[in-house]
Amino acid sequence: MQAPSLGGAMAPRGNGDVIRVARGISLTDFAERIGANPAALVTIMFHLGEMVTTTQSVNEETLQLLGAELNYDIQVVSPEDEDRELLETFDLTFGEDEGDEDDLVLRPPVVTVMGHVDHGKTRLLDAIRNTNVMTGEAGGITQHIGAYQVHVEHEGSDRPITFIDTPGHEAFTAMRARGASTTDIVVLVVAADDGVMPQTIEALNHAQAAGVPVVVAVNKIDKEGANPAKVRQQLTEYGLVAEEYGGTTMFVDVSARSGLHIDALLEAVLLTADASLDLRANPNQDAQGIALEAHLDRGRGPVATVLVQRGTLHIGDSIVAGDAFGRVRAMLDEHGNTLTEAPPSRPVMVLGLTSVPGAGDSFLVVDEDRIARQIADRRQTRERNALLASTRRRVSLEDLDKVLAAGEIDQLNLILKGDGSGSVEALEDALSKIDVGEEVSLRVIGRGVGGITKNDVNLAIASDAVIVGFNVRPESQVRDFAQREGVDIRYYTVIYQAIDEIEAALKGMLKPEFEEAQLGTAEVREVFRVPKLGNIAGSIVRSGTIRRNTKARLIRDGVVVADNLTIESLRRFKDDATEVREGFECGIGLGSFNDIKPEDVIETFEQREKPRA
Ligand code: GDP
């Protein structure tokens, strides 16, 4: 018995049976699960209005459509469950300590420092690191490996604390979005001369959403106009009541600059950990944890900083981290000392992986290299399939005329992001004046000031919109996300250009011959004043390559601060360089342009001729 609409295709019908499938499976895989002929499923999909081949990865929507037609309850397995099932096939589990209560021992708390920009997060992380240069660790040159550990004498015992060395909540939320929780305690930095600011609240929201206790560091108390009492009072509104006011949150007045009360802050972290958390782990099992950051080093190959969460990591262990695998060849701590083992809560730089894992990937030790390789391979395949299934073509200005002509849409949705509310308003105003004719309409469905965020891209996906960035850019993860999802993001620096292009697109006349290709991005870590040369940005290349004499722009908090710059000088240590690749540090000079600050992003690009469609 089949519905006539199926064009005679034969496929067994379910009785609402639940079929659990992995993301991005093909019709062939699905056919096998329900004992059907793959070709029949293709026919059915065709009659449902979708052209799908038997081997192509299909997205969830398509699977649901097919399921509804054939009366199966299709449940697409979440990536987390998928991974759990994958590990189970090797008799492995991730995330829980082996053994029972008796096997657990106290482990150091892992702390992330968050707060509003310029409130002193970086400085505080430096101050904490410096209070604790252990005597006897001579010769150790501090390296930024993404995390470090300090030791505190607390109630008669030596208590280590681990700090994640990436200030700000982006890293924290990115990790959490990937299901990786590394942080036990958040130190919320609030400058006493500035008080509670938007990012203070954002950071607090993230911490509270994650259920992570907060210790407040009221910073810059050395400054004139510092008002620590006001910070306490402001934060009560957000549910953080200081102990001295009868609450449970510890507030510590500090000065990151003069190193004042850093010891009290560390003490507060330990007290908070002991009072509200049960931080224990089994050190006697195969190690597991999270990759905090990773890059490709020219001399050493892939290097990853991992945080051991349970078990002890040893030299020679076979590990798999995300879709990378390998054997631990060497381990280094933040002083560059080699370690032979790393117990719970210890961050270490690991050498010996065969490729670079992603930040936030879980890692675990397995019995043999073979198993590590198999898990990595399967994860790779899985990711690729999921990616293929999710890549859908969406509306872009380029092919707008075709989509319009085909009658697929009759409205162009736009999301406007700009560097100021004035420019966004002006742009919206000008757009509303475009004469678009009767067949189509133009609608601004979202607007805002600031960089293009993942939220904007999600909105664009949900409503088939094109994003217009006026003097603003997305972060590289957001850009990648948009690209993966096929969301068109357009960048403009002058309003009339935006209007011209959108108007042309609506009229089907948009034929750009050049497009901008991004060459690389570098993050400014430190700014040096060099006589005669001006300010030099001590930077680390985050993506692609930075080449001398290429065009560049400077981005601060997602906003383009200066366009039309040139990489006028480029150095590796003391030598001039023509190009510097991802993962390496370099000094960048932008000619007479001197307004450079740490955390700025320098983006280089070139105009490339675009093949005509
Ligand atoms: P972040 O953006 O939160 O990482 O802030 P930074 O650590 O970069 O600090 C921002 C600015 O505030 C820098 O110029 C610091 O030197 C300064 N600063 C940080 N902590 C203190 C402090 O305790 N006292 C004073 N006077 N200045 C500070």
Side-chain angles (χ1 to χ4, degrees):
M1 284 248 290
Q2 328 129 4
S5 72
L6 299 186
M10 291 284 285
R13 292 177 57 80
N15 273 322
D17 305 346
V18 175
I19 307 272
R20 280 164 55 81
V21 299
R23 294 169 304 155
I25 67 164
S26 65
L27 289 188
T28 304
D29 303 331
F30 184 64
E32 197 179 306
R33 298 288 298 277
I34 61 170
N37 176 354
L41 298 187
V42 172
T43 315
I44 294 170
M45 284 317 302
F46 181 76
H47 286 280
L48 290 172
E50 288 210 32
M51 283 292 294
V52 185
T53 63
T54 50
T55 53
Q56 184 185 339
S57 283
V58 289
N59 62 26
E60 181 167 355
E61 262 164 56
T62 309
L63 284 172
Q64 296 296 4
L65 203 63
L66 189 59
E69 185 68 37
L70 295 174
N71 199 16
Y72 287 105
D73 179 3
I74 310 266
Q75 293 181 358
V76 176
V77 180
S78 70
E80 293 78 27
D81 284 346
E82 230 175 78
D83 208 62
R84 192 169 308 125
E85 286 167 21
L86 167 64
L87 293 178
E88 271 168 17
T89 61
F90 293 94
D91 246 351
L92 294 165
T93 51
F94 178 84
E96 264 159 52
D97 289 88
E98 288 168 16
D100 48 34
E101 284 285 304
D102 301 341
D103 297 306
L104 303 179
V105 299
L106 192 68
R107 65 165 178 86
V110 179
V111 180
T112 297
V113 173
M114 307 206 278
H116 195 73
V117 64
D118 274 347
H119 278 197
K121 299 179 290 294
T122 314
R123 190 82 187 232
L124 184 64
L125 278 164
D126 289 344
I128 294 169
R129 198 192 292 108
N130 294 337
T131 51
N132 208 259
V133 180
M134 295 246 294
T135 40
E137 247 168 353
I141 300 165
T142 320
Q143 306 195 335
H144 281 265
I145 67 165
Y148 64 81
Q149 218 169 49
V150 294
H151 290 261
V152 182
E153 181 74 18
H154 180 69
E155 290 165 2
S157 53
D158 171 58
R159 298 276 304 266
I161 306 176
T162 301
F163 281 87
I164 306 281
D165 201 3
T166 335
H169 54 252
E170 290 76 12
F172 180 81
T173 42
M175 291 262 174
R176 237 166 59 80
R178 308 206 41 200
S181 43
T182 48
T183 302
D184 300 312
I185 291 185
V186 163
V187 166
L188 183 66
V189 179
V190 190
D193 61 335
D194 202 22
V196 170
M197 297 300 277
Q199 286 164 318
T200 315
I201 302 307
E202 242 176 75
L204 184 56
N205 288 340
H206 288 306
Q208 287 174 336
V212 174
V214 173
V215 171
V216 182
V218 183
N219 191 29
K220 305 198 187 183
I221 53 161
D222 59 293
K223 274 186 110 170
E224 214 174 303
N227 188 349
K230 181 155 167 235
V231 173
R232 284 171 174 70
Q233 183 240 316
Q234 284 178 321
L235 280 175
T236 54
E237 276 174 46
Y238 300 94
L240 283 192
V241 183
E243 278 190 325
E244 55 268 45
Y245 297 159
T248 53
T249 306
M250 299 196 66
F251 281 65
V252 184
D253 295 342
V254 300
S255 165
R257 167 168 287 179
S258 40
L260 199 66
H261 300 162
I262 303 297
D263 46 352
L265 178 65
L266 298 177
E267 189 89 355
V269 166
L270 289 175
L271 288 169
T272 303
D274 291 347
S276 51
L277 301 167
D278 175 25
L279 301 178
R280 291 183 301 161
N282 178 355
N284 300 311
Q285 63 165 79
D286 285 339
Q288 299 193 339
I290 305 287
L292 297 174
E293 65 170 40
H295 65 274
L296 193 62
D297 185 284
R298 201 191 293 241
R300 298 188 280 198
V303 226
T305 298
V306 303
L307 175 73
V308 178
Q309 295 184 303
R310 62 198 71 80
T312 299
L313 187 62
H314 304 271
I315 302 256
D317 280 345
S318 299
I319 66 170
V320 52
D323 60 10
F325 69 98
R327 193 184 278 206
V328 180
R329 199 173 69 224
M331 290 192 287
L332 300 172
D333 69 7
E334 62 273 21
H335 309 291
N337 300 320
T338 51
L339 303 177
T340 50
E341 53 175 47
S345 295
R346 175 108 256 319
V348 273
M349 199 157 117
V350 170
L351 275 55
L353 288 167
T354 51
S355 60
V356 181
D361 279 345
S362 63
F363 85 84
L364 68 165
V365 167
V366 297
D367 286 343
E368 316 168 40
D369 292 355
R370 184 181 53 84
I371 297 175
R373 177 195 301 265
Q374 281 178 12
I375 295 173
D377 280 354
R378 290 221 217 155
R379 282 180 174 161
Q380 258 170 33
T381 314
R382 211 179 51 201
E383 277 314 305
R384 197 166 46 236
N385 287 346
L387 198 67
L388 285 174
S390 69
T391 320
R392 275 200 286 156
R393 231 172 46 106
R394 299 183 194 274
V395 177
S396 77
L397 285 192
E398 239 93 71
D399 57 12
L400 186 64
D401 53 330
K402 291 188 210 101
V403 189
L404 290 173
E408 282 176 37
I409 59 162
D410 53 9
Q411 174 168 305
L412 172 61
N413 290 332
L414 294 175
I415 296 170
L416 310 182
K417 289 304 285 275
D419 53 347
S421 53
S423 57
V424 174
E425 270 166 37
L427 186 61
E428 185 168 358
D429 189 48
L431 284 169
S432 71
K433 295 196 178 113
I434 297 183
D435 176 15
V436 290
E438 281 177 6
E439 286 85 60
V440 276
S441 57
L442 192 150
R443 203 157 73 96
V444 175
I445 58 163
R447 60 188 72 64
V449 176
I452 296 164
T453 63
K454 197 159 177 195
N455 258 340
D456 298 325
V457 178
N458 277 327
L459 180 60
I461 294 171
S463 46
D464 262 337
V466 171
I467 300 177
V468 174
F470 188 74
N471 274 330
V472 292
R473 314 250 117 193
E475 279 180 29
S476 61
Q477 303 106 286
V478 176
R479 185 198 314 262
D480 292 348
F481 176 54
Q483 216 158 35
R484 258 194 330 265
E485 293 291 335
V487 169
D488 190 17
I489 305 183
R490 295 277 161 163
Y491 308 107
Y492 303 100
T493 46
V494 267
I495 287 189
Y496 77 80
Q497 225 176 25
I499 304 302
D500 276 3
E501 246 187 63
I502 291 165
E503 191 167 6
L506 285 166
K507 292 181 178 155
M509 297 182 312
L510 189 66
K511 295 276 182 290
E513 285 173 354
F514 286 91
E515 68 179 344
E516 188 184 299
Q518 195 194 318
L519 299 174
T521 58
E523 185 189 318
V524 180
R525 301 297 277 271
E526 234 176 299
V527 180
F528 307 97
R529 260 213 78 71
V530 179
K532 292 204 198 98
L533 280 178
N535 281 350
I536 296 294
S539 316
I540 176 155
V541 181
R542 286 298 185 201
S543 66
T545 46
I546 299 292
R547 244 180 272 150
R548 193 136 40 107
N549 295 328
T550 49
K551 291 253 152 273
R553 56 173 68 94
L554 188 89
I555 298 147
R556 185 168 301 151
D557 292 325
V559 173
V560 178
V561 181
D563 216 348
N564 239 327
L565 304 171
T566 307
I567 305 290
E568 301 216 346
S569 70
L570 185 64
R571 295 194 144 208
R572 276 279 295 154
F573 301 109
K574 295 246 163 323
D575 306 320
D576 278 334
T578 43
E579 62 171 53
V580 179
R581 283 189 302 152
E582 181 175 339
F584 292 91
E585 292 181 348
C586 59
I588 299 176
L590 296 171
S592 57
F593 182 81
N594 280 318
D595 174 23
I596 310 172
K597 291 194 180 154
E599 281 179 45
D600 285 352
V601 172
I602 295 171
E603 175 184 289
T604 61
F605 56 93
E606 67 182 9
Q607 299 293 334
R608 283 196 191 142
E609 194 166 353
K610 195 178 167 130
R612 277 172 194 271

